[in-house]
């Protein structure tokens, strides 16, 4: 059994830390997760249609609802929390290799993590893309069109369907972006999986990439994940207080560890 003091020592001794972050790191900032007890899909399973490319493309009603949800997204008023700033501290000490994030909220960059260290494998809510010509626009500009009454705005260049510049179900990851993520997982001595259920592939598989290259793997998540057996330690305390304590060398207790 290893406790949080051991994990804090691993962090203190690490030269290259790669963090993989999921929705759980942003819940303290007021952004709900998806699969937790109060998650978006837990409360409303039908909402998954809004994040499924086939439904989005084929059904104008889905697109109209998606645009209204984007207008009301918590990211527009959210602010980074202590866990985001803990990763900024790691960078300040020269030990952060990369932050691979499944989040689309931009809070890592807002906290101060360098743009070139953040790898957004699921894209960004701050951009809009055309599914026909590939043009990209600022989300803020497109939301102004929605607010003015254009419920399903089309591409201003080709008339194609617009969606957020994020990865939907049924949409492949950008190969170059995932290649960067895989390289960061393979080139670290400590891999922190923070606030992610590790249930979405291929990103979840980065845990095994890091482990096979000899990195220690620590999972910080409220609920068990499919990779707990691979990890050197798993901790389940609230991330907003746990991660700053670990980075600062404080102590905590694991729910389980291996």
């Amino acid at each position: 059994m290893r406790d949080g003091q051991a994990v804090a020592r691993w962090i203190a001794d690490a030269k290259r830390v790669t963090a993989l972050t999921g929705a759980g790191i942003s819940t303290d900032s007021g952004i709900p997760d998806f699969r937790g007890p109060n998650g978006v899909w837990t409360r409303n399973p039908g909402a998954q249609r809004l994040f499924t490319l086939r439904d989005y493309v084929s059904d104008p009603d889905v697109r109209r609802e998606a645009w209204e949800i984007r207008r009301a997204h918590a990211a527009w008023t959210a602010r980074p929390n202590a866990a985001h700033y803990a990763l900024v501290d790691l960078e300040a000490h020269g030990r952060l290799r990369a932050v691979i994030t499944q989040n689309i909220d931009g809070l890592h960059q807002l906290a101060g993590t360098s743009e070139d260290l953040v790898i957004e494998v699921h894209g960004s809510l701050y951009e809009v893309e055309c599914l026909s010509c590939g043009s990209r626009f600022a989300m803020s500009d497109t939301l102004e069109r929605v607010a003015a009454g254009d419920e399903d705005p089309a591409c201003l260049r080709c008339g194609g369907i617009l969606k957020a510049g994020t990865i939907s179900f049924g949409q492949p990851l950008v190969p170059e972006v995932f290649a960067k993520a895989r390289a960061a997982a393979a080139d670290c001595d400590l891999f922190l999986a923070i606030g992610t259920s590790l249930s979405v592939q291929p990103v979840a598989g980065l845990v095994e990439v890091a482990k096979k290259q000899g990195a220690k793997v620590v999972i910080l998540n409220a609920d068990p994940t499919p990779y707990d057996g691979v990890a050197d330690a798993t901790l389940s305390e609230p991330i907003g207080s746990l991660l700053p304590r670990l980075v600062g060398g404080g102590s905590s207790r694991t729910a389980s560890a291996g």
Side-chain angles (χ1 to χ4, degrees):
M1 181 72 68
R2 297 186 187 275
D3 63 14
Q5 289 180 327
V7 175
R9 288 195 299 271
W10 295 346
I11 293 175
D13 293 341
K15 300 293 192 297
R16 300 182 313 283
V17 179
T18 290
L20 168 63
T21 65
I25 199 173
S26 292
T27 53
D28 280 357
S29 296
I31 300 178
D33 61 15
F34 293 98
R35 297 177 176 83
N38 296 309
V40 174
W41 297 335
T42 306
R43 290 183 284 107
N44 180 15
Q48 292 195 41
R49 293 189 68 218
L50 305 177
F51 301 90
T52 302
L53 186 63
R54 180 182 59 190
D55 292 328
Y56 187 88
V57 170
S58 64
D59 191 339
D61 287 337
V62 168
R63 295 199 296 275
R64 283 190 282 268
E65 185 177 355
W67 283 111
E68 286 305 312
I69 287 177
R70 289 172 190 138
R71 286 185 66 199
H73 200 287
W76 307 129
T77 56
R79 291 295 178 265
N81 62 63
H84 295 102
Y85 289 115
L87 294 176
V88 176
D89 289 343
L90 271 180
E91 180 184 353
H93 288 89
R95 293 186 283 118
L96 185 66
R97 167 65 175 82
V99 175
I100 306 164
T101 187
Q102 296 169 284
N103 299 336
I104 60 174
D105 53 38
L107 290 180
H108 287 298
Q109 297 93 320
L110 190 59
T113 298
S114 298
E115 290 272 355
D116 59 352
L117 294 185
V118 180
I119 304 170
E120 295 176 309
V121 289
H122 289 164
S124 171
L125 185 63
Y126 289 83
E127 288 189 322
V128 171
E129 66 172 338
C130 175
L131 295 177
S132 295
C133 70
S135 295
R136 287 187 171 262
F137 308 94
M139 175 64 78
S140 57
D141 293 341
T142 308
L143 291 183
E144 286 182 4
R145 295 172 59 191
V146 176
D150 191 349
E151 296 179 337
D152 182 15
C155 177
L156 295 174
R157 293 180 180 168
C158 76
I161 292 173
L162 294 179
K163 70 178 286 291
T166 57
I167 302 297
S168 301
F169 288 115
Q171 187 175 18
L173 300 182
V174 178
E176 296 81 5
V177 174
F178 186 68
K180 287 180 62 177
R182 186 179 178 86
D187 179 36
C188 66
D189 53 5
L190 178 64
F191 187 90
L192 301 176
I194 306 167
T196 170
S197 64
L198 297 175
S199 60
V200 178
Q201 296 292 350
V203 177
L206 296 176
V207 171
E208 290 184 319
V209 171
K211 185 70 173 180
K212 288 177 181 178
Q213 293 300 316
K216 280 188 170 64
V217 172
V218 177
I219 296 175
L220 314 180
N221 197 56
D223 301 308
T225 80
Y227 289 88
D228 287 358
V230 175
D232 295 281
T234 63
L235 303 111
S236 63
E237 289 186 44
I239 291 167
S241 57
L242 173 61
L243 186 59
R245 205 156 66 242
L246 294 174
V247 171
S251 65
S252 59
R253 300 297 302 181
T254 63
S256 63

